[in-house]
Amino acid sequence: MASGLENEFVTLHEIVKAAKIRLNANIWDYLIGGTETETTLRRNRMALDSIAFRPRVLRDVSKIDPSSEILGKKIRLPIMLAPVGSLESFEPGGGITVAKGAGAGNVGMLISSVTTLKLEDIVKGGNGPKIYQLYVRGDDDWVADRVKQAMDAGYDAFCITVDTQVYSRRERDIAKRFVKSWRTAATGQDHQAAFSWANFKKVKDKFPDVKFMLKGIGTGEDADIACQHGVWAVYCSNHGGRQLDHGRGSAAVLPEVIDAVKGRAKIAVDGSFSRGSDIVKAICMGADWVGLGRLYCYGLAAAGAPGIERMVELLEEEMKEVMGLLGVSSLKQLDRSFISAATPTNLPGVHSAFPLMHEGY
Ligand SMILES: Cc1cc2nc3c(=O)[nH]c(=O)nc-3n(C[C@H](O)[C@H](O)[C@H](O)COP(=O)(O)O)c2cc1C
């Protein structure tokens, strides 16, 4: 199956442009923005641009397979659609459309607790891995209840986001007096602020068989503590630069997280991963999968589920090209010997991975 958008979108930046045209200015800014000075957001890009490839030649790359596996399920690329709340503001079908897009593209998805998706809707996500992501909005019993509901509903794993103990100041929204309807309705932030390792231990002990993932790990120290608590996966992320400002870029943090985990848990990472080359860099460093946030929202806003599928198709083309030119035919062959530190060549920005966007193409 193909997206049917092969002629409409021949490069990724065309999808970004189409999303910008379709979305109203407030929603666009909400989507692309970060916290205060947006330094963390730019550092996400800068960290990726600070890695160069070390290609190997004269190896048989006549067949290249960029597929991977999560939770025992084969996926087309080592990517998961990251949890994004308020998906309905980008496209009326919201989480249901995203599930269809993930299913059609055969990639994994994390569904945010801010976007509801019922049991009958999850199956629209096809056979791929599905993870439920929670913001803590109640006491330990409330959290346990959500875990049970999600697992009964058929999710494969459960993710708790831990980098939102305080809600950040996103000045693009604040300065425009743009009050998001889903934020006005949100209650229970105090529970998230109070949630600690002890609370997580209680939940984990109550559900010994559930695969837990903690999203928003930003240091080797916390990655180690997460492993001591028996997590299934550590998700290295700074929320796309939307929470703590003046943090480090995720790709700069990833090596210390991987080194601290020492193989005890799976590793996911996100933060400005926008091109096939970015995904390959994460796999070279030792990540198991890459989360995509804004990028798939552009696909969603541009053309619904087929827009997400088209994004996957283009990323696949890019990944195959990079892998072939690095001299590998499968992801398993990638390791740190294929990358080295480098000086970025341009100023980072939320769309700096798409230079042609600004050149009128
Ligand atoms: C509009 C928007 C809403 C988000 N909502 C959530 C959410 O509900 N839960 C969550 O854990 N992360 C949320 N995130 C963070 C993403 O899951 C992800 O960490 C981030 O977008 C990755 O960076 P990228 O957009 O540069 O790929 C959101 C991000 C965006 C852009």
Side-chain angles (χ1 to χ4, degrees):
M1 278 279 290
S3 65
L5 296 173
E6 296 77 6
N7 295 325
E8 192 158 353
F9 301 122
V10 295
T11 67
L12 284 167
H13 84 263
E14 293 172 26
I15 297 182
V16 187
K17 268 179 137 173
K20 185 171 186 190
I21 290 166
R22 285 210 165 188
L23 292 176
N24 94 31
N26 282 347
I27 297 293
W28 172 255
D29 262 3
Y30 161 68
L31 172 59
I32 68 165
T35 306
E36 293 171 7
T37 67
E38 299 188 339
T39 297
T40 307
L41 186 159
R42 286 191 299 278
R43 286 206 179 121
N44 276 338
R45 191 63 239 160
M46 178 90 106
L48 282 162
D49 290 342
S50 303
I51 300 168
F53 287 120
R54 299 181 69 246
R56 304 299 305 274
V57 296
L58 292 175
R59 295 168 171 214
D60 180 0
V61 291
S62 51
K63 288 197 185 68
I64 298 169
D65 176 11
S67 69
S68 185
E69 178 248 297
I70 303 182
L71 294 154
K73 297 177 177 181
K74 189 164 179 195
I75 42 173
R76 184 166 170 180
L77 304 178
I79 58 174
M80 293 206 80
L81 309 185
V84 167
S86 64
L87 290 166
E88 301 77 11
S89 58
F90 309 126
E91 197 270 346
I96 297 175
T97 312
V98 170
K100 285 183 190 157
N106 188 21
V107 294
M109 67 171 183
L110 282 110
I111 286 295
S112 164
S113 53
V114 182
T115 292
T116 50
L117 205 63
K118 299 192 211 75
L119 175 59
E120 55 272 29
D121 299 331
I122 306 175
V123 294
K124 295 180 181 139
N127 298 324
K130 299 167 193 66
I131 303 177
Y132 187 87
Q133 174 268 320
L134 187 75
Y135 283 134
V136 175
R137 294 286 179 261
D139 60 14
D140 293 343
D141 288 341
W142 180 91
V143 175
D145 202 43
R146 297 306 289 260
V147 176
K148 186 171 179 323
Q149 277 176 31
M151 300 326 281
D152 288 351
Y155 283 92
D156 301 297
F158 197 90
C159 169
I160 302 179
T161 295
V162 293
D163 59 10
T164 47
Q165 55 276 52
V166 172
Y167 193 73
S168 62
R169 287 176 56 81
R170 316 227 176 122
E171 288 194 357
R172 284 178 196 253
D173 301 338
I174 296 170
K176 287 204 282 186
R177 278 64 173 167
F178 173 52
V179 182
K180 295 157 279 186
S181 52
W182 56 95
R183 281 295 306 164
T184 325
T187 54
Q189 174 76 39
D190 290 356
H191 291 284
Q192 181 88 47
F195 196 75
S196 69
W197 288 111
N199 299 92
F200 176 61
K201 184 174 183 324
K202 274 190 214 155
V203 182
K204 174 79 185 70
D205 289 350
K206 205 165 198 167
F207 299 96
D209 298 331
V210 170
K211 293 184 164 65
F212 281 96
M213 174 186 230
L214 292 182
K215 174 170 183 283
I217 298 292
T219 59
E221 290 91 319
D222 278 344
D224 179 39
I225 300 174
C227 291
Q228 289 169 27
H229 283 72
V231 297
W232 159 72
V234 169
Y235 194 151
C236 173
S237 170
N238 52 38
H239 220 100
R242 297 163 75 83
Q243 280 299 113
L244 178 68
D245 199 14
H246 289 276
R248 296 179 289 167
S250 292
V253 176
L254 183 62
E256 79 173 50
V257 165
I258 291 174
D259 294 347
V261 167
K262 294 193 184 80
R264 288 174 290 172
K266 298 285 181 192
I267 301 203
V269 63
D270 72 20
S272 203
F273 288 80
S274 315
R275 309 291 294 238
S277 48
D278 298 337
I279 298 165
V280 172
K281 286 176 184 178
I283 305 298
C284 287
M285 281 188 266
D288 292 292
W289 330 283
V290 169
L292 305 176
R294 295 175 181 87
L295 189 62
Y296 84 84
C297 296
Y298 302 139
L300 172 69
I308 295 176
E309 190 179 0
R310 183 66 189 138
M311 173 208 74
V312 174
E313 289 169 353
L314 286 164
L315 284 174
E316 183 179 50
E317 267 187 49
E318 292 187 352
M319 277 189 72
K320 282 185 167 175
E321 172 215 36
V322 175
M323 289 170 70
L325 292 173
L326 286 180
V328 302
S329 52
S330 88
L331 297 177
K332 288 194 177 67
Q333 295 165 13
L334 292 170
D335 59 31
R336 291 186 190 180
S337 73
F338 287 90
I339 50 176
S340 80
T343 311
T345 60
N346 56 343
L347 289 174
V350 68
H351 297 132
S352 59
F354 305 111
L356 295 186
M357 243 187 104
H358 314 290
E359 292 189 24
Y361 285 84

